[in-house]
Amino acid sequence: GGTKKMQFILPAEYDSMDKIPKPTKSNVKITEVPPATGAVHSFSGSCNDEKARDKVKKLITQLKEDGVELDEEEVMEKFSLWQYHPPFTIPMMRRNEVWIDLQETQVDYLLNKYKN
């Protein structure tokens, strides 16, 4: 175990850092997340660390089959798990995603490979 963090996406009305309410707790930090491009695998149900890691491994396998070169160890250290519903949501109604950052060259490769 590494440290876990929780992130929230704010509504569009908070389109600049000065419009965001200041945290009342010292351990809450507001940071601007830069745009990124990546690959996502969406799935439903309950999710724990083991299930998330399994989904990432399957995404890595698919990307490698598609010809994308990846450092599997680095991806497994840096992936993100996004969960969109509170814990009391019925598992089959929960939406989850695992995210892998891709470099511009990897994205260009996939776009060219699957161009219509």
Side-chain angles (χ1 to χ4, degrees), residues 59-72:
L59 182 54
I60 290 169
T61 299
Q62 181 61 58
L63 288 167
K64 285 184 172 183
E65 287 175 9
D66 290 339
V68 176
E69 293 182 26
L70 294 167
D71 178 340
E72 188 169 343

Side-chain angles (χ1 to χ4, degrees), residues 30-72:
I30 296 180
T31 58
E32 189 169 358
V33 178
T37 304
V40 173
H41 176 73
S42 299
F43 58 99
S44 61
S46 297
C47 186
N48 58 25
D49 289 341
E50 183 181 339
K51 185 173 183 178
R53 295 179 73 73
D54 180 59
K55 297 294 184 181
V56 172
K57 287 178 185 177
K58 289 178 180 175
L59 182 54
I60 290 169
T61 299
Q62 181 61 58
L63 288 167
K64 285 184 172 183
E65 287 175 9
D66 290 339
V68 176
E69 293 182 26
L70 294 167
D71 178 340
E72 188 169 343

